[in-house]
Amino acid sequence: MTPCPVRELTEALIRRRSVFPEDAGCQSVIAARLAPLGFECEPMRFGEVDNLWAVRRGAKPGPLLVFAGHTDVVPAGPRQWWHADPFEPTERDGHLYGRGAADMKSSLAAIVVAIEEFVAAHPNHPGSIGVLLTSDEEGPAIDGTVRVVEALQARGTQIDYCIIGEPTSVDALGDMLKNGRRGSLHGKLIVKGVQGHVAYPHLARNPIHDLAPALVALVAEQWDSGNAYFPATTWQVSNLNAGTGAGNVIPGEATVNFNFRFSTASTIEGLQSRVKAILDAHGLDYSLEWTVSGHPFLTERGALTDAIAQAIRAETGVETELSTTGGTSDGRFIAAIAREVIEFGPHNGSIHKTNEHVALASLVPMKNIYRGTLERLLK
């Protein structure tokens, strides 16, 4: 069997138990591959999180193209739910199984090998190639990419193109790219009442009863209509709690946790003010706390989307679709210093599940797509 460098590196990374916030040496493995190519490798540790910033400066001026990703993975869960040890890569029915196989150690391996091949073929390429890695993507994302971006921003670093190796493919490799993500805004609403006996409601005030009409209004509200790239903003209750647990006590307060997934058609300030207006209109006695976990970002069609779409078409014959669906990603941080940000990677059907896997037949094509994008942008 002919050795496959992408598979070999993917397997080496899967064997490292890099459950958030542990990197478990993955970034050192990658840095050891990049340094001989002329990359300046700079480990950046913040708190308990390992990050890596590596850059290779070309022979001539040109754009800075950065590949970004994360080496941490989510917990594997009970061993008995897996076909085999989740941290021992296993081949089964044409797929490579292991935690992180799809999210996102195979794409990291494909990126590294693509860079190696590109530099060997074009040692005097124009522009620069960067690699940004974190072990804080699957966790709270406090000491990871956001901190690296802040450090680069302080240096005046500007990224022209960024490709994040997130698993984006649905049915065929390359059938979907993420050219943006919705923002995420959390709210914690506490509606205050007066606790009392259920037999004497006139001596109490039930916050659930007060809340109910306002909740109906919030559910019915049309926050926006979206735009050409984003679906309409959504509002969802994630938790609702009230009561002492006793069946004869009117609760003294009710707590509602909710979330907005919002597009560039809305603003944080606008959504906050509209929620407050609805609550005030219903005469509630309340407190409200807000947490922003991500701003929306969008890359419109341009040089990066065209280059990667052409590379996908040349390798697979697939016409890719641009999408902004799904959760948040570290693209929300990188967009602060990057002109264009795209996510592309393997099939996402098994991510975060037991028996996570990646199709072995997709590894080399994925590498070729990353390399093809380099060929088109650094020329």
Side-chain angles (χ1 to χ4, degrees):
M1 180 184 296
T2 303
C4 175
V6 181
R7 176 175 178 170
E8 291 173 352
L9 182 52
T10 300
E11 292 181 346
L13 294 174
I14 290 173
R15 288 190 178 97
R16 294 181 176 269
R17 296 174 178 261
S18 56
V19 177
F20 169 83
E22 296 297 327
D23 167 68
C26 291
Q27 292 172 25
S28 295
V29 170
I30 292 172
R33 299 281 288 261
L34 297 177
L37 305 177
F39 277 80
E40 303 166 16
C41 297
E42 180 183 359
M44 293 186 178
R45 185 171 174 86
F46 299 106
E48 298 300 313
V49 175
D50 288 306
N51 305 284
L52 175 67
W53 169 245
V55 63
R56 184 185 200 273
R57 307 183 194 285
K60 295 179 289 187
L64 170 57
L65 191 161
V66 171
F67 291 97
H70 60 91
T71 54
D72 60 319
V73 298
V74 296
R79 166 64 182 84
Q80 63 268 27
W81 293 356
W82 287 75
H83 298 318
D85 182 343
F87 295 100
E88 182 55 45
T90 306
E91 181 178 348
R92 185 185 179 100
D93 300 325
H95 291 82
L96 184 65
Y97 284 78
R99 176 55 87 219
D103 189 14
M104 52 180 285
K105 292 183 175 180
S106 59
S107 51
L108 293 181
I111 286 167
V112 171
V113 177
I115 291 172
E116 288 173 334
E117 292 183 355
F118 176 78
V119 171
H122 308 281
N124 297 314
H125 65 82
S128 300
I129 306 171
V131 175
L132 193 168
L133 302 177
T134 185
S135 63
D136 184 30
E137 198 273 347
E138 299 292 8
I142 294 172
D143 288 322
T145 299
V146 63
R147 296 290 301 275
V148 178
V149 166
E150 290 170 354
L152 296 178
Q153 201 167 28
R155 301 174 188 178
T157 300
Q158 288 292 316
I159 298 170
D160 295 286
Y161 311 118
C162 180
I163 302 172
I164 306 174
E166 289 287 353
T168 60
S169 302
V170 181
D171 296 314
L173 182 66
D175 61 357
M176 182 174 289
L177 303 177
K178 301 293 185 179
N179 66 318
R181 296 279 188 162
R182 295 174 295 174
S184 180
L185 173 64
H186 298 275
K188 180 179 181 180
L189 169 65
I190 299 177
V191 178
K192 302 169 186 176
V194 177
Q195 183 174 304
H197 197 293
V198 295
Y200 301 95
H202 60 289
L203 300 178
R205 182 178 178 184
N206 195 318
I208 301 175
H209 294 188
D210 290 348
L211 169 65
L215 198 59
V216 170
L218 289 165
V219 170
E221 184 75 4
Q222 178 73 33
W223 303 99
D224 60 45
S225 299
N227 54 36
Y229 290 100
F230 286 97
T233 292
T234 61
W235 184 87
Q236 289 291 313
V237 172
S238 57
N239 289 278
L240 197 161
N241 301 287
T244 64
N248 59 354
V249 179
I250 294 170
E253 65 180 29
T255 301
V256 182
N257 294 96
F258 60 85
N259 175 264
F260 280 105
R261 291 301 165 109
F262 64 101
S263 72
T264 51
S266 288
T267 65
I268 291 171
E269 295 76 16
L271 295 172
Q272 290 173 332
S273 66
R274 289 171 65 183
V275 169
K276 186 176 185 302
I278 290 172
L279 298 176
D280 290 343
H282 287 82
L284 300 184
D285 182 7
Y286 69 92
S287 63
L288 185 55
E289 298 176 4
W290 296 98
T291 304
V292 180
S293 57
H295 293 267
F297 73 92
L298 175 67
T299 292
E300 299 197 30
R301 293 184 184 274
L304 179 56
T305 59
D306 289 349
I308 197 165
Q310 290 167 11
I312 290 169
R313 188 183 308 117
E315 182 64 26
T316 67
V318 170
E319 293 295 332
T320 195
E321 172 190 353
L322 298 181
S323 172
T324 60
T325 58
T328 59
S329 77
D330 277 358
R332 67 193 190 273
F333 305 128
I334 298 171
I337 59 170
R339 187 157 51 90
E340 299 181 42
V341 180
I342 282 288
E343 299 171 27
F344 163 69
H347 293 76
N348 57 21
S350 68
I351 62 175
H352 289 210
K353 296 181 179 180
T354 55
N355 296 313
E356 179 181 352
H357 57 271
V358 63
L360 287 167
S362 71
L363 297 182
V364 172
M366 184 162 54
K367 176 265 295 180
N368 290 342
I369 291 168
Y370 290 131
R371 178 178 171 178
T373 306
L374 278 164
E375 300 273 1
R376 288 166 171 80
L377 291 174
L378 300 186
K379 57 185 180 181

